[in-house]
Amino acid sequence: MPATSTSASVHATTDPAVILLTGERFFVRRIPIAADSPAAPQVELALETISPFPLEQMFHGHVIDRAQRHALVYSAYRRNFSAAEQADWANAESVLPDFLMHVFVPRGSQATDATLHETDAALTAIAWDSESELPALILHRPVSNENREQSKAELLAELTRRTQVDLEDHSIVSGPITAKLNEKQSVLLSCEEHTTPPLSTAFLAHADVRDGQVLATKRRANRSASLWCNTFTLVIVALVLCLVVELGMIVTSKLLDSRQGRLDERNPEIEKIESAQNLANRLETLAAEQLRPFEMLAAINAPRPQSVEFLRVSTRGPLQLEIDAQTANANDLRTYEAALKSLPFIASVTISDSRSRSGLTTFSLEVTFKPRWTQTGGGS
Amino acid sequence: MKRFFIQRSKREQVLILLFALIGLAWWGTSLSARANDQYRGWRAAHEEFKTQELWLEQREAILERVVSAGETLDPSRALDSAQSFAELDRMLSGLNAEVSSQRTERTQQFALHGLQVNIRRAPLSDILKFYGQLSERAPYLGIDSCVISTDRSSRGMLNVNFRIYSIEVISSEE
């Protein structure tokens, strides 16, 4: 029986985050499943049927093929694993049977239908058929140097008998299977030059043999750790962002100073223009209308009742007078207002702040003259 | 960094995160306030720049307006600051008055001098006499504003505060 063999020995270390269990303790079967129903209940039902022990006494897992028509199920009796052996399981990312390497390693077009994997202590024979990319059968035999050749022959014979797979060509792999986690926390299984693609923890969720409760606890812990880690990452990113903004502000502050300097340089020139603008306004106002306070005062004095006395007169612009006045006769206030309003050169009259005390009424008078009022009868 | 964090114990992780959050809050608050100030500084500088640009764009038009407004003025009758001061001093002789000069607005062709005249306890006739003399010099010497009030201590007397301007025509030889 010819065989292709790879003999390079590999000494890769196994990552403690992934625990590989030797395959000879597992009972392995490929079962057909219905693609339109959830796989997990179908797998559990099948395991309960074919497993030699009740399901609660087993560690078990499964892998589904791409067409979701077959599942490779495997289970092992719990007592086959000592408490010491299980001590690290809680902290591990994944606990997997080692033969899964053969399941996940991509098979090229030249791949043989069977592989014999030899280690110092065991032989594993794997057979594939055309129904699925999952192996049709995986068989294990413990082996010693004395009975190695005989065991090998018996194992291959049994594989042929049970699968009807033609074992004319089969490949031989030797050495231990190792596992490691890459930087994205994906599992890589390898033996010699055969390496699986990165397998994410989520992808391997059903392949893990630990109890669902343990896995759920583990997932919660992972989520919590991930949350902490992501929060820390966010804070660091925010701090880096602050640093970038701080540096940006140093640069923009220098630019702002420079711009402010340029504006300050131009300020004297702008002040000159503003001054010229004021001067132009003043000259234009003076040309149009000059303030004539005493003429204005004389104009509003004419209709003034005898009782009204001016205390203070101030100008506001060329056309307005503000007068603080008093009268002993409050009625004269309205009479005076009416008289002022009747003058043709008066635009408006406003009396405000009237107060009466001890028979004397004080008030404020605001009189606005019409533009060019002197030409309309005033100021003569 | 992430590996460093993962490898720490839970207690250390909590402390690291706590200090990092405190630092972030402290820095972030200060940075946000300073960034806001700087943003407002930029806005103000931008607005000032736009205003300056507007003034510069209007420069020629404003100067033309000044020249145009002053075209009717006779340079020989205009008064500079010292002349206006002396002229007012002459007009106010005999009055209890005080004259002080104020700010001057100036262009290449004209200057507008501001003067403050305060007259205390003067009869109306004297004030009208001063006002008459002042009006004769218009528009080269004129009143910007005035406040007339009766003197409480002396009946019939007035206190008057004038803000007076004088126009100076600056000759091209200067």
Side-chain angles (χ1 to χ4, degrees):
Chain A
M1 189 181 291
T4 56
S5 172
T6 54
S7 57
S9 63
V10 174
H11 298 288
T13 53
T14 298
D15 197 310
V18 182
I19 293 174
L20 290 183
L21 308 173
T22 52
E24 67 268 20
R25 287 180 285 188
F26 283 88
F27 164 85
V28 187
R29 288 288 182 277
R30 190 183 74 187
I31 59 164
I33 57 169
D36 51 355
S37 301
Q42 296 184 64
V43 166
E44 285 194 6
L45 191 65
L47 272 174
E48 277 173 3
T49 310
I50 60 178
S51 175
F53 299 103
L55 209 52
E56 55 272 17
Q57 292 179 23
M58 311 286 283
F59 288 125
H60 61 89
H62 66 270
V63 178
I64 310 286
D65 64 3
R66 278 192 290 273
Q68 299 199 328
R69 301 191 66 82
H70 291 88
L72 186 74
V73 298
Y74 41 89
S75 64
Y77 189 42
R78 281 173 186 261
R79 289 189 183 174
N80 283 343
F81 301 92
S82 67
E85 203 174 350
Q86 294 181 43
D88 294 334
W89 286 20
N91 297 323
E93 290 297 325
S94 297
V95 179
L96 307 167
D98 60 0
F99 55 77
L100 285 185
M101 187 214 70
H102 297 289
V103 176
F104 292 123
V105 163
R107 302 183 71 239
S109 55
Q110 301 298 315
T112 56
D113 288 341
T115 295
L116 183 66
H117 184 186
E118 292 186 61
T119 62
D120 291 343
L123 292 172
T124 304
I126 306 111
W128 284 269
D129 59 16
S130 57
E131 288 185 33
S132 169
E133 74 269 18
L134 294 175
L137 186 63
I138 300 176
L139 294 175
H140 303 278
R141 287 288 181 280
V143 71
S144 62
N145 284 337
E146 289 78 37
N147 64 353
R148 179 171 293 271
E149 289 307 316
Q150 186 188 347
S151 298
K152 200 187 294 183
E154 285 172 4
L155 187 66
L156 290 173
E158 184 180 348
L159 194 68
T160 307
R161 179 175 57 78
R162 290 175 59 179
T163 62
Q164 279 82 49
V165 170
D166 179 15
L167 298 179
E168 185 65 22
D169 288 319
H170 68 270
S171 58
I172 297 174
V173 179
S174 58
I177 295 171
T178 59
K180 64 178 178 180
L181 282 178
N182 68 5
E183 63 279 2
K184 290 181 177 172
Q185 301 291 301
S186 292
V187 177
L188 294 165
L189 301 175
S190 58
C191 179
E192 297 183 329
E193 76 275 21
H194 304 285
T195 303
T196 63
L199 309 166
S200 70
T201 314
F203 179 75
L204 291 173
H206 294 294
D208 200 303
V209 299
R210 286 173 291 183
D211 286 343
Q213 205 172 359
V214 173
L215 289 172
T217 309
K218 178 76 184 161
R219 273 198 292 274
R220 275 199 298 276
N222 280 347
R223 271 203 297 272
S224 167
S226 172
L227 186 68
W228 278 91
C229 202
N230 287 342
T231 309
F232 176 72
T233 307
L234 277 177
V235 171
I236 294 298
V237 168
L239 285 170
V240 170
L241 210 63
C242 281
L243 184 66
V244 171
V245 173
E246 192 76 64
L247 293 174
M249 276 179 62
I250 291 171
V251 175
T252 51
S253 172
K254 295 236 180 289
L255 288 174
L256 183 59
D257 286 348
S258 155
R259 184 162 198 181
Q260 194 61 53
R262 284 202 299 276
L263 291 173
D264 291 345
E265 274 172 23
R266 292 208 301 192
N267 257 344
E269 175 67 14
I270 302 301
E271 278 170 15
K272 275 185 189 171
I273 301 170
E274 280 182 299
S275 183
Q277 162 92 339
N278 289 339
L279 189 59
N281 289 344
R282 291 289 299 281
L283 290 173
E284 283 167 0
T285 308
L286 290 174
E289 199 86 55
Q290 288 199 11
L291 176 62
R292 298 170 189 274
F294 287 95
E295 285 85 344
M296 291 160 90
L297 202 51
I300 62 165
N301 192 45
R304 178 175 63 88
Q306 195 84 38
S307 69
V308 174
E309 283 180 43
F310 294 162
L311 302 174
R312 186 177 184 276
V313 180
S314 58
T315 59
R316 186 191 283 180
L319 295 172
Q320 204 172 58
L321 283 183
E322 286 181 350
I323 301 155
D324 293 337
Q326 66 180 23
T327 177
N329 184 356
N331 288 333
D332 284 349
L333 203 150
R334 296 296 158 200
T335 310
Y336 187 37
E337 183 186 9
L340 286 175
K341 281 182 177 171
S342 67
L343 294 174
F345 48 84
I346 298 293
S348 71
V349 179
T350 310
I351 292 178
S352 61
D353 207 16
S354 304
R355 290 178 195 180
S356 185
R357 191 177 178 185
S358 307
L360 206 60
T361 303
T362 59
F363 59 96
S364 294
L365 188 64
E366 192 178 282
V367 183
T368 306
F369 288 73
K370 289 179 180 171
R372 295 185 176 79
W373 62 277
T374 50
Q375 295 161 17
T376 55
S380 53
Chain B
M1 188 68 89
K2 205 167 177 177
R3 186 176 289 274
F4 162 82
F5 186 74
I6 290 167
Q7 285 168 352
R8 303 274 77 79
S9 68
K10 197 75 184 172
R11 188 160 169 264
E12 286 173 329
Q13 285 184 350
V14 170
L15 284 173
I16 288 170
L17 203 55
L18 188 68
F19 284 125
L21 279 170
I22 290 171
L24 179 65
W26 199 341
W27 194 5
T29 311
S30 152
L31 191 64
S32 152
R34 283 181 291 122
N36 199 24
D37 283 350
Q38 200 177 70
Y39 173 70
R40 277 194 268 116
W42 271 106
R43 287 279 304 271
H46 182 65
E47 291 300 320
E48 192 179 342
F49 176 77
K50 281 202 316 198
T51 308
Q52 284 191 347
E53 286 295 302
L54 273 177
W55 278 112
L56 290 171
E57 277 172 22
Q58 299 292 320
R59 186 174 181 277
E60 293 308 315
I62 289 169
L63 293 179
E64 275 173 26
R65 269 182 65 202
V66 174
V67 172
S68 167
E71 265 173 358
T72 54
L73 297 173
D74 177 2
S76 64
R77 295 189 65 197
L79 302 167
D80 66 18
S81 179
Q83 286 169 329
S84 56
F85 200 87
E87 184 68 7
L88 283 172
D89 200 45
R90 186 187 63 75
M91 292 177 187
L92 290 163
S93 60
L95 286 167
N96 177 18
E98 186 186 313
V99 185
S100 57
S101 58
Q102 309 242 309
R103 71 188 292 259
T104 295
E105 286 173 7
R106 193 181 291 274
T107 65
Q108 278 186 322
Q109 293 85 19
F110 303 101
L112 200 67
H113 305 289
L115 298 113
Q116 180 74 33
V117 174
N118 298 330
I119 302 171
R120 294 274 167 267
R121 287 187 201 133
L124 179 62
S125 57
D126 288 358
I127 291 167
L128 287 175
K129 185 182 164 196
F130 165 72
Y131 179 68
Q133 288 177 315
L134 196 62
S135 300
E136 282 170 18
R137 297 306 304 267
Y140 304 94
L141 208 55
I143 299 169
D144 259 343
S145 68
C146 92
V147 177
I148 306 161
S149 54
T150 53
D151 191 278
R152 287 170 195 268
S153 57
S154 315
R155 189 162 178 81
M157 294 294 186
L158 298 172
N159 296 325
V160 188
N161 300 330
F162 289 108
R163 219 171 68 206
I164 288 175
Y165 67 84
S166 77
I167 297 172
E168 178 185 359
V169 180
I170 300 167
S171 61
S172 54
E173 292 89 56
E174 280 181 26

